[in-house]
Structures are given as structure tokens and as C-alpha cells.
Amino acid sequence: MNVIDHVRDMAAAGLHSNVRLVSSLLLTMSTNNPELFSPAQKYQLLVHHADAIFHDKEYRKAACKYNMALQQKKVLSKTSKVRPSSTGGPSSVQAQNLPSEIEVKYKIAECYTILKLDKDAISVLDGIPSRQRTPKINMMLANLYRKAGQERSAVTSYKEVLRQCPLALDAIIGLLSLSVKGAEVASMTMDVIQTIPNLDWLSVWIKAYAFIHGGDNHRAINTICSLEKKSLLRDNVNLLVSLADVYFRAGDTKNAILKFEQAQMLDPYLIKGMDVYGYLMAREGHLEDVEVLGGRLFNISDQHAEPWVISGCHSFYSKRYSRALYLGAKAIQLNSNSVQALLLKGAALRNMGRVQEAIIHFREAMRLAPCRLDCYEGLIDCYLASNGIREAMGMANNIYKTLGANAQTLTILATVCLEDPMTQEKAKTLLDKALAQRPDYIKAVVKKAELLSREQKYDEGIALLRSTLANQSDCMLHRMLGDFLVAVNDYQEAMDQYSIALR
């Protein structure tokens, strides 16, 4: 057993700091005496040294060392026979223990991805022949292609992952997010469903996520509920978080919060989806609960975007926009694909008067989540804030045509129409249609109440708000009802409504 074997064994045992130190010393010895180690042994040393540096999160340096290892591997490939080293050890054993060149390239790509050098990461992985790509290489490539907008290449890579690993559910979600039909994706998993027992739920699961990424929230909710009610999948945290998120997308805040709370009770260490939960709680005015939630998530992990977003939402709704901007930027730094972080930063920039910068963030959020209406709402708010009514109207009409006439799209279009005196009547018609579909949709109620206030139809406004508040309590609706009651000189009940809103 030679010294390289000892280094390899320490690496396998997870003694990273020890490997880093001893490999550094041995590499220096090799530099001073090139005959001390064979090319194969030097290659092994460089890889183990780079692995130890990677473990210490020094990714730029690790990438450099991995590239040095690959250069050494080229030297080794040119040598017809591995030279015996002065430390002994059969050359055939050395050859068998050599680290995989493919794995080294994957590690380099990992370093580049963490450093946000996506083009360099793609270049490294593209250099691996297709037949030699492992599922994790194809998965990383697919994610990088999707992020770079190379959708066709991303689809090909995701499909290759599924071909080798038909239960790779993230790859399935990736395909569905790229508009691949649910039936086509399901066909790629049919063999495993038919040959393995208790996997009959998978086809329904695929259907649910196909609805989600197709923007059909109503059918997505029904499908996930049917899955969640099955005894074998009851109380699954991932399903509950997905259900909560779809309720949120559908504008059903009450059920979204309920499902997030249910998931949180089942898993006290849950991080995924908690940024949306924190945002909803902040929007509803429960700032103390949001502060507690943010602190608890920071104790779980400060290396995820979610706790930073939650603290940012607390700052935003406390009108500390500069701090919200900083926290949103920190969250994006940790996860550039965090839609909630982009929306937080965009909203903070908009409220600070930096509208053009805000537009960039809302557009990126739209690219990442084309079926989330709040991304479009943020952009429309920016257009309206900069008097770009034409741009806002164009986008609202596009959403309406693309996603259909539901309560949310009707309300968005009505919101823009309210900004132009010439389209007030159209706004009223749109809001009436929205409320006919969903009488409890708060955004539509708020906009209709604003319109009635402009028209000084206070009795109609009071009736509308009372009817909505009979089924749900909302801070803004209580405040608006207070304003209407003041307008009709009912000061005592107005004070009662303001008190409820404050609570």
C-alpha cells in the first residue's frame, strides 16, 4: 500500500481537511521531483486535493485544480504504459483506482454553476459524449439549458434522464414546465408503473402537474385533492405544499394558508414553499407571525432563499423598502430561480420609484413562472406607475386571451380599465363578470368597491362589502367598509370596522 492509497482511503473516509493538507505537501514534493510520482498518481492526488477544496466551498480554486487534473489525465493518456513510481505499487492497480474523468468534469460544472458561470458549465458538460453522460449529468445539463432558454436541448436532456431513471420526478416536472404534453411524459413511465406495485398514483400525479404548468388551477386542485385523499398518500408534505401553491395561484388565500399550515405541522423543518406562505401572512397583516416564521427558518438554514424572502416580506409590509430590497437581493444570490425573491425585489424597487429596474425583475419572474398571475400584476403595476397605460392594457389583454376569462384575468383587465376614464364602464362589466364567477374573490371585491366609491354609490358599496365579510374576514375589506360608513355618517360602526381591521 503506497502513500496515494492512504490519501484515497482518507478521502473515502471523509477526512477532507487531512486530505487537503497531505495532498498539498505531496504535490509540492512532486513539483520539486517530477520522478517521485507517476502521471497516474499525480492525477489521483490532484483530484483528491480538488475534492477537499470543493468540500471547503472554495469553488473557483477547486475548478482550477480539477482542470489541472484533467490536463494531467491528458499526459497520462499519451503514455502507453504507466511508469512505476519510486513509492512502489503495481501500475495495474493504480489504473483501476483512477478517478473517473467524467466525474471530474461534472465537478467542474458544479463549481461553475455555483459561481453562476452557466455558459462555462454547459461548455464542460457539452464536451462529454452523449453516450457517456450519466443521469445526473443530463439532469444538470437540462436545468442549465432551460435556464439559458435552450428549450429543445433541455427537453432532450430531461427525456434522457427519464429513459434511464423513469421515477425522476423533477425531470418530469421539468418536461411539463417546457410544455411537453402530460400524455407523452406519462408514456415514458408506463413500463415502471405496470411492473412495480403501488405506483398507480404516478399517472395521476403527472396529470396534476400537467394542469399546474398548463395554468389550469381548478383542475390541478381537484386532481391533487383526489391524490391526497388516497390513504397511501394522505398527509404527504410535498403534495400539501403543491396544493397550497395552486390555491395561492388561483387567488384562494384562505385555503392556501390552511394547506401551508397543515404541511408545516407535519414537517416542522419544512423550507420549500414557506416563502409564499410568509408572503401571504405578511399581506394579510400578520407581521408578528411572519417575523417568528422567518427566525425559525433561519435557525433551520440560512443557505436557502426562503428565510431571506420571508424577512424581506416583513420589511416590505412594514414599509422598510430599502431593507426589503437588500433581503430580496440576498435571496436571489442564494437562488437565482426564486420567483418570490424576484417579486419581492421588484416590488421594493417599484415602491422606491426605481420602476425600470423593477420591470427587469418582474419580467424575469414571468419567464420562470409563466402561469403565475402575480408576476404579470407586478409588471402591470410598474407600467401604470410610469403612465404606460397602453403597455399595461396590451399585457392585460394578452393575459386575458391566453389564460381565458376567469375571475383573476377579468380583474387584472378591469384594474387597467379603471385607470382610463373612457373605459370605466368596461371595468364595471368585467368586475361584475369576475364576481359572478367568484363572489369571494377579494381583489375583485376591492376593485368594485373602489369603483362604487368613485361613483359615490356608498350604499351599494356597503352591501357588497358586508356580503363578502359575512363569509371571510379581511383587513382591507374591513377598512374599506369603515370608509364607506364614514361617508354615510355612521361613525360608530365605522370605528368598529377600523378596530377589526387593526386587529
Side-chain angles (χ1 to χ4, degrees), residues 233-444:
L233 291 176
R234 188 177 296 129
D235 291 339
N236 177 268
V237 172
N238 285 315
L239 276 180
L240 285 169
V241 170
S242 294
L243 184 55
D245 189 60
V246 183
Y247 274 128
F248 160 64
R249 294 182 185 208
D252 189 343
T253 301
K254 182 180 177 181
N255 276 315
I257 289 175
L258 191 67
K259 292 301 174 183
F260 276 129
E261 287 175 347
Q262 194 177 336
Q264 191 180 216
M265 285 174 65
L266 288 166
D267 182 3
Y269 298 101
L270 178 65
I271 292 179
K272 183 182 178 182
M274 290 295 99
D275 50 350
V276 176
Y277 175 54
Y279 160 70
L280 289 174
M281 295 290 282
R283 197 179 72 183
E284 293 295 298
H286 306 303
L287 294 182
E288 288 183 10
D289 294 333
V290 173
E291 191 171 18
V292 171
L293 176 65
R296 189 167 62 75
L297 259 68
F298 272 120
N299 286 333
I300 296 170
S301 171
D302 63 356
Q303 295 304 303
H304 287 76
E306 284 83 350
W308 298 92
V309 171
I310 292 166
S311 292
C313 289
H314 182 275
S315 296
F316 181 85
Y317 284 94
S318 301
K319 302 189 187 306
R320 292 181 291 163
Y321 301 125
S322 295
R323 180 158 179 77
L325 178 61
Y326 162 75
L327 292 166
K330 177 65 178 177
I332 293 168
Q333 186 181 356
L334 289 167
N335 180 5
S336 58
N337 291 329
S338 171
V339 174
Q340 212 58 45
L342 288 163
L343 292 176
L344 169 64
K345 192 177 176 187
L349 287 165
R350 180 192 63 212
N351 284 21
M352 293 169 70
R354 295 160 62 178
V355 177
Q356 292 308 311
E357 291 175 73
I359 286 172
I360 293 169
H361 288 78
F362 285 122
R363 280 181 176 161
E364 178 61 11
M366 281 169 51
R367 186 185 72 81
L368 291 169
C371 291
R372 276 187 57 168
L373 286 172
D374 50 342
C375 302
Y376 299 92
E377 288 174 325
L379 192 54
I380 286 171
D381 286 344
C382 285
Y383 288 143
L384 294 177
S386 56
N387 294 319
I389 294 179
R390 182 178 296 177
E391 292 90 340
M393 186 66 77
M395 176 151 287
N397 276 315
N398 185 48
I399 298 166
Y400 178 78
K401 290 173 184 174
T402 305
L403 299 179
N406 58 55
Q408 292 167 285
T409 57
L410 288 162
T411 304
I412 289 171
L413 186 53
T415 301
V416 181
C417 290
L418 284 171
E419 297 298 315
D420 186 348
M422 301 295 292
T423 53
Q424 296 287 304
E425 282 303 313
K426 183 180 179 180
K428 186 175 181 181
T429 302
L430 291 167
L431 289 170
D432 287 341
K433 286 181 179 178
L435 289 170
Q437 285 188 27
R438 280 184 56 185
D440 62 338
Y441 186 47
I442 289 178
K443 286 185 179 180

Side-chain angles (χ1 to χ4, degrees), residues 456-460 462 466 481-491 493-494:
Q456 296 185 0
K457 296 180 179 179
Y458 302 122
D459 290 334
E460 283 187 43
I462 290 170
R466 285 195 199 280
L481 180 54
D483 293 344
F484 274 95
L485 290 165
V486 166
V488 295
N489 301 321
D490 191 343
Y491 301 113
E493 192 181 350

Side-chain angles (χ1 to χ4, degrees), residues 115-326:
L115 294 167
K116 297 183 170 35
L117 302 171
D118 293 348
K119 287 183 180 178
D120 293 329
I122 290 173
S123 177
V124 171
L125 296 178
D126 269 342
I128 301 172
S130 299
R131 290 182 180 179
Q132 294 179 24
R133 292 176 190 171
T134 61
K136 69 177 181 180
I137 289 172
N138 278 311
M139 190 70 189
M140 182 184 280
L141 258 178
N143 290 333
L144 287 166
Y145 283 141
R146 183 173 66 169
K147 193 175 177 184
Q150 297 174 241
E151 294 188 0
R152 185 175 297 178
S153 297
V155 167
T156 301
S157 294
Y158 279 131
K159 284 182 176 179
E160 190 57 30
V161 174
L162 272 187
R163 188 184 68 78
Q164 298 175 72
C165 303
L167 288 179
L169 300 188
D170 264 341
I172 289 174
I173 290 173
L175 285 170
L176 295 172
S177 72
L178 292 170
S179 302
V180 178
K181 298 293 184 184
E184 183 182 350
V185 177
S187 68
M188 300 178 72
T189 65
M190 200 55 65
D191 288 344
V192 75
I193 291 173
Q194 291 174 349
T195 55
I196 298 177
N198 298 318
L199 277 184
D200 55 308
W201 53 268
L202 182 55
S203 57
V204 183
W205 185 93
I206 292 171
K207 188 184 293 186
Y209 280 87
F211 288 141
I212 290 173
H213 290 286
D216 194 339
N217 296 322
H218 180 69
R219 291 169 80 182
I221 288 168
N222 289 339
T223 308
I224 296 175
C225 284
S226 73
L227 265 180
E228 213 273 322
K229 285 173 184 174
K230 289 188 176 182
S231 57
L232 291 177
L233 291 176
R234 188 177 296 129
D235 291 339
N236 177 268
V237 172
N238 285 315
L239 276 180
L240 285 169
V241 170
S242 294
L243 184 55
D245 189 60
V246 183
Y247 274 128
F248 160 64
R249 294 182 185 208
D252 189 343
T253 301
K254 182 180 177 181
N255 276 315
I257 289 175
L258 191 67
K259 292 301 174 183
F260 276 129
E261 287 175 347
Q262 194 177 336
Q264 191 180 216
M265 285 174 65
L266 288 166
D267 182 3
Y269 298 101
L270 178 65
I271 292 179
K272 183 182 178 182
M274 290 295 99
D275 50 350
V276 176
Y277 175 54
Y279 160 70
L280 289 174
M281 295 290 282
R283 197 179 72 183
E284 293 295 298
H286 306 303
L287 294 182
E288 288 183 10
D289 294 333
V290 173
E291 191 171 18
V292 171
L293 176 65
R296 189 167 62 75
L297 259 68
F298 272 120
N299 286 333
I300 296 170
S301 171
D302 63 356
Q303 295 304 303
H304 287 76
E306 284 83 350
W308 298 92
V309 171
I310 292 166
S311 292
C313 289
H314 182 275
S315 296
F316 181 85
Y317 284 94
S318 301
K319 302 189 187 306
R320 292 181 291 163
Y321 301 125
S322 295
R323 180 158 179 77
L325 178 61
Y326 162 75

Side-chain angles (χ1 to χ4, degrees), residues 5 25 43 61 78 81 137 169 203 206 280 292 397 451 485 495 502:
D5 294 329
L25 294 168
Y43 169 65
K61 185 174 182 179
K78 291 175 183 177
K81 292 183 179 180
I137 289 172
L169 300 188
S203 57
I206 292 171
L280 289 174
V292 171
N397 276 315
L451 182 58
L485 290 165
M495 286 182 64
L502 286 171

